[in-house]
Amino acid sequence: MCGIVGYIGKNNAVKPLIDGLYRLEYRGYDSAGIALLTQDNIFLKKVAGRVNELDKAIRNEPLQSHIGIAHTRWATHGVPNDINAHPHTDCKNQIAVVHNGIIENFRTLKQFLVKKGHKFQSETDSEVIPHLIEEFYDGDLMAAVRKACSYIKGTYGFVIISLASPGYIIASRMGSPLVIGRGKGEYIVASDLAAIISYTNEVIYLKDGDIAEISSDHLRVEGCESGMVFPEIEKVNLTLEQIERRGYKHFMLKEIYEQPIILRDTIRGRLNYEDGIARLNGISNYIEDLRDADRIIIIACGTSWHAGLIGEYMIESLAEIPVEVEYGSEFRYRRPVLKKGTICIVVSQSGETADTLAALREAKRHGATVLGICNVVGSSIARETDAGIYIHAGPEIGVASTKAFMGQIMTFALLSLLLGRLRRLSVDEGRDIINAIEKIPDQLQSLLDKLPDKIKKLARTFKDHRNFLYLGRGYNFPVALEGALKLKEISYIHAEGYPAAEMKHGPIALIDKNMPVVVIAIKDAIYDKVISNIEEIRARQGIVIAVGSEGDTQLKKYVDYVIYVPETMDHLYPLLTILPLQLLAYYIADYRGLDVDKPRNLAKSVTVE
Ligand code: M6R
């Protein structure tokens, strides 16, 4: 949420800063700004709108500076306009700051600073940071930053430049990620790797409480209270190709098409056919705890929460362990009853979602073992869990999550196979599941080869409808929720996901000849019941778009449109049924002329409460 980039080094800072902002724009895109340290002042430019607007605004200026910071914003406090855009400065324009996070006590701090004579320009919480540093500055910038940090309550990742220390940038984090890339004679600090990897693959992840003083050839890190720390330099293997669109119109489409590959990566080396079991080395020290758990609590937000629901159904039916699924934002403020023997699993693509992270910490505070299912390697959640499983989906840039969801479901399929085998399934049953899992990437590829034309036709037919209903049962109820979320997020069409049989308890009142209803009606254990639900819709003239199992020619009789997916085991169907719903949402949004990768009001990772 919000993108931060800072540069210090031998080259002109403008290019790495603007390039970095373009790469970070998926984190927030309502306004953007840049501050550059020049001979005797700080050049500042801020604009409402996309990075492109900022780029245009400075393109013809002869800017030369070796030190600068830049920001692309997702508004929390204060509307998106030029004034509220970052960087923010102190009263004398000597200190400039870009900030990510929320300063919860900013009103108190602002009152304190106003009484001291500070003049504020914006409505943001972030602006207190330069003023606090200005207030505490006494010839030692690091000391002033340290003191400012001690006054701030909330979350932050911030980077500052100051005329008083022209050879340095200073960065600090508490709850909001910052990573520093070490190049040759240059350092780049950013809120994520995307802004760094075209310059270097040597990185340092700051930890909560760290304050880094960075010059072009030296890095010094202090823990907020513990004095000098010696941060580890890590080598990352992310490539530029992985974060580029490679000819696809949008990242979301590229990521949908990558799904067969990422599933192969998720299962690679994790299936043991001989024993009919999955192998998950990341959690090997906790397998017995999981096997003997009296309850598992899955915690997540958004799409990851939907994957968690599928995980619940899988683990309960294959392993017979009771599972509950919680929203991170609810769990963190409840009084969760966690007994010895309860295991929490947090699920997050980014590994930085503030509510999920806070829930993780709350669970640990209660003494629970917390395992993670994450995509981003080295993220806060990946670091703070006791152990975890990476889904290996690669960088997901599209704000609407697709391939990460797929990787999360597959990870739950592996985990439920493992636990199922340890508790009740025979080797042969395990082998049958492995056979079905191994087919999924090819089945998905065959769908990607033949579905798009059909879905495009549907998308053209329905793009102007104002409401949609999505229905599913069992394993496919969370798929209905996810299909509806995808449509809402990127097309701004109202959509409800519902368990098919619950429809008659209320939402059926919405059905008339203008209501498209997407129903997942695959040939599973509750197929006949779903057909009855379809009849109920048809009786009220609703339009039914069904997702059915290949070979089910009967289904055509009951519905207006049908999209077939290959047959698989009941619990693996979500890996196939979600694909047409992702494509439908994508093409509807695209035909509506919307910016699919940057839907309004959203940002890729929600690092604020
Ligand atoms: O990074 P996380 O998986 O923790 O993110 C959770 C949600 O913010 C995320 O899934 C969100 O709902 C997506 N925009 C869905 O497409």
Side-chain angles (χ1 to χ4, degrees):
M1 185 133 285
C2 303
I4 286 179
V5 54
Y7 176 89
I8 184 162
K10 54 187 189 276
N11 295 316
N12 189 354
V14 177
K15 183 167 169 21
L17 293 178
I18 295 295
D19 284 356
L21 285 190
Y22 276 119
R23 296 206 190 283
L24 295 177
E25 206 175 11
Y26 72 106
R27 299 179 64 101
Y29 32 82
D30 59 43
S31 50
I34 188 168
L36 298 164
L37 212 64
T38 62
Q39 202 78 46
D40 44 16
N41 70 4
I42 290 181
F43 167 86
L44 188 67
K45 189 78 192 175
K46 313 198 286 184
V47 297
R50 301 278 166 97
V51 172
N52 184 34
E53 300 300 320
L54 176 69
D55 192 1
K56 276 196 280 187
I58 61 168
R59 202 169 288 160
N60 297 323
E61 304 231 17
L63 297 170
Q64 267 295 335
S65 167
H66 298 281
I67 306 174
I69 54 178
H71 191 263
T72 174
R73 179 171 185 245
W74 183 87
T76 59
H77 295 67
V79 294
N81 60 23
D82 297 6
I83 294 172
N84 290 333
H86 297 217
H88 292 289
T89 57
D90 65 325
C91 298
K92 298 188 220 84
N93 281 334
Q94 302 237 321
I95 300 168
V97 177
V98 286
H99 165 237
N100 192 2
I102 290 186
I103 299 175
E104 286 161 5
N105 60 339
F106 86 96
R107 287 191 182 81
T108 318
L109 293 175
K110 196 165 174 175
Q111 270 167 16
F112 158 79
L113 289 160
V114 168
K115 271 196 199 134
K116 297 263 182 191
H118 291 259
K119 299 266 182 299
F120 281 75
Q121 314 277 335
S122 76
E123 303 157 83
T124 66
D125 54 335
S126 311
E127 198 185 347
V128 297
I129 302 174
H131 290 281
L132 276 176
I133 296 170
E134 177 181 33
E135 180 62 29
F136 299 139
Y137 182 69
D138 188 12
D140 181 346
L141 191 61
M142 276 295 267
V145 172
R146 206 178 305 122
K147 190 159 176 189
C149 288
S150 73
Y151 274 65
I152 295 172
K153 290 197 174 50
T155 54
Y156 57 80
F158 67 76
V159 185
I160 76 166
I161 54 173
S162 161
L163 271 181
S165 291
Y168 298 95
I169 55 182
I170 293 181
S172 182
R173 74 159 270 179
M174 179 64 73
S176 199
L178 279 183
V179 52
I180 301 171
R182 182 175 75 167
K184 288 197 175 62
E186 61 187 359
Y187 280 94
I188 302 166
V189 53
S191 44
D192 78 54
L193 288 172
I196 294 177
I197 50 156
S198 54
Y199 294 89
T200 176
N201 67 348
E202 290 187 2
V203 301
I204 298 111
Y205 292 94
L206 288 186
K207 297 200 175 67
D208 276 350
D210 284 353
I211 305 177
E213 185 186 54
I214 311 161
S215 67
S216 56
D217 55 7
H218 190 67
L219 166 71
R220 193 168 73 87
V221 181
E222 288 181 9
C224 218
E225 281 151 15
S226 56
M228 276 274 279
V229 292
F230 297 95
E232 206 184 318
I233 297 177
E234 298 182 29
K235 283 223 164 35
V236 289
N237 55 12
L238 193 65
T239 63
L240 209 51
E241 204 192 22
Q242 286 176 297
I243 57 163
E244 285 177 339
R245 270 194 285 125
R246 299 209 329 264
Y248 286 93
K249 185 168 180 192
H250 294 102
F251 277 107
M252 182 182 174
L253 191 61
K254 171 186 169 236
E255 287 157 6
I256 289 174
Y257 272 85
E258 281 173 349
Q259 294 181 116
I261 304 169
I262 84 101
L263 285 187
R264 288 189 191 101
D265 290 343
T266 310
I267 59 182
R268 179 162 301 121
R270 287 172 164 172
L271 291 171
N272 173 346
Y273 187 77
E274 202 177 316
D275 297 332
I277 200 167
R279 196 188 300 129
L280 294 167
N281 293 339
I283 54 166
S284 56
N285 292 338
Y286 294 89
I287 297 296
E288 281 161 18
D289 296 350
L290 271 165
R291 182 197 60 199
D292 302 334
D294 49 23
R295 179 168 157 242
I296 293 175
I297 303 179
I298 297 173
I299 305 167
C301 300
T303 288
S304 299
W305 186 81
H306 296 155
L309 284 179
I310 297 171
E312 173 189 23
Y313 284 46
M314 287 180 176
I315 295 171
E316 290 200 337
S317 69
L318 271 64
E320 291 185 351
I321 303 172
V323 181
E324 287 155 43
V325 187
E326 295 265 3
Y327 287 113
S329 52
E330 289 297 313
F331 182 87
R332 64 184 293 190
Y333 289 118
R334 291 205 298 109
R335 298 186 68 197
V337 183
L338 298 174
K339 295 199 196 118
K340 204 171 176 299
T342 302
I343 297 207
C344 295
I345 302 179
V346 293
V347 188
S348 173
Q349 185 286 127
S350 62
E352 300 294 348
T353 299
D355 286 323
T356 311
L357 188 55
L360 178 172
R361 290 176 180 155
E362 183 64 12
K364 285 191 106 176
R365 214 172 55 78
H366 281 76
T369 296
V370 186
L371 308 178
I373 295 181
C374 262
N375 188 33
V376 178
V377 177
S379 57
S380 301
I381 290 177
R383 282 160 187 266
E384 291 192 31
T385 40
D386 294 301
I389 310 166
Y390 282 120
I391 62 172
H392 299 308
E396 191 180 63
I397 310 285
V399 167
S401 182
T402 51
K403 63 175 182 171
F405 181 63
M406 203 59 102
Q408 291 163 345
I409 309 174
M410 185 54 100
T411 303
F412 276 118
L414 299 178
L415 183 62
S416 59
L417 165 63
L418 169 60
L419 296 178
R421 276 283 293 113
L422 294 179
R423 287 170 61 93
R424 53 180 289 277
L425 299 178
S426 66
V427 175
D428 283 344
E429 286 170 312
R431 286 180 182 164
D432 287 346
I433 295 174
I434 291 180
N435 282 333
I437 286 178
E438 283 181 330
K439 276 194 201 152
I440 297 277
D442 289 344
Q443 291 176 318
L444 212 49
Q445 187 59 55
S446 73
L447 277 178
L448 280 167
D449 293 340
K450 65 181 178 211
L451 269 192
D453 284 344
K454 185 158 196 180
I455 305 261
K456 282 182 196 170
K457 234 170 153 180
L458 277 175
R460 273 193 292 267
T461 310
F462 290 103
K463 72 179 175 46
D464 295 319
H465 280 250
R466 293 311 307 144
N467 297 288
F468 266 76
L469 206 53
Y470 284 72
L471 303 177
R473 295 185 75 156
Y475 294 108
N476 285 295
F477 156 53
V479 175
L481 293 178
E482 176 62 8
L485 177 64
K486 288 290 87 88
L487 188 70
K488 280 186 270 212
E489 281 189 291
I490 58 171
S491 73
Y492 319 143
I493 294 172
H494 171 247
E496 294 267 0
Y498 240 77
E502 272 294 302
M503 181 190 58
K504 58 185 172 293
H505 298 287
I508 199 163
L510 295 168
I511 291 177
D512 62 17
K513 61 180 180 4
N514 297 316
M515 177 66 95
V517 187
V518 179
V519 187
I520 302 154
I522 35 98
K523 275 273 191 188
D524 63 1
I526 40 177
Y527 174 74
D528 293 337
K529 309 276 174 204
V530 176
I531 294 296
S532 306
N533 301 138
I534 289 176
E535 299 278 23
E536 290 156 11
I537 302 164
R538 298 278 291 154
R540 286 153 187 89
Q541 293 167 5
I543 312 157
V544 180
I545 304 163
V547 177
S549 305
E550 253 163 31
D552 179 11
T553 44
Q554 293 297 310
L555 186 58
K556 283 187 190 147
K557 289 191 203 151
Y558 306 110
V559 304
D560 299 280
Y561 305 88
V562 59
I563 304 157
Y564 287 113
V565 299
E567 284 187 276
T568 185
M569 295 180 108
D570 283 7
H571 75 285
L572 300 177
Y573 262 115
L575 291 156
L576 301 174
T577 52
I578 189 57
L579 181 72
L581 308 197
Q582 293 170 338
L583 286 169
L584 183 65
Y586 172 78
Y587 284 115
I588 287 181
D590 192 34
Y591 288 141
R592 287 165 69 85
L594 299 168
D595 189 345
V596 173
D597 283 334
K598 299 190 188 72
R600 71 182 179 206
N601 305 339
L602 291 177
K604 182 66 184 162
S605 95
V606 186
T607 56
V608 295
E609 260 199 73

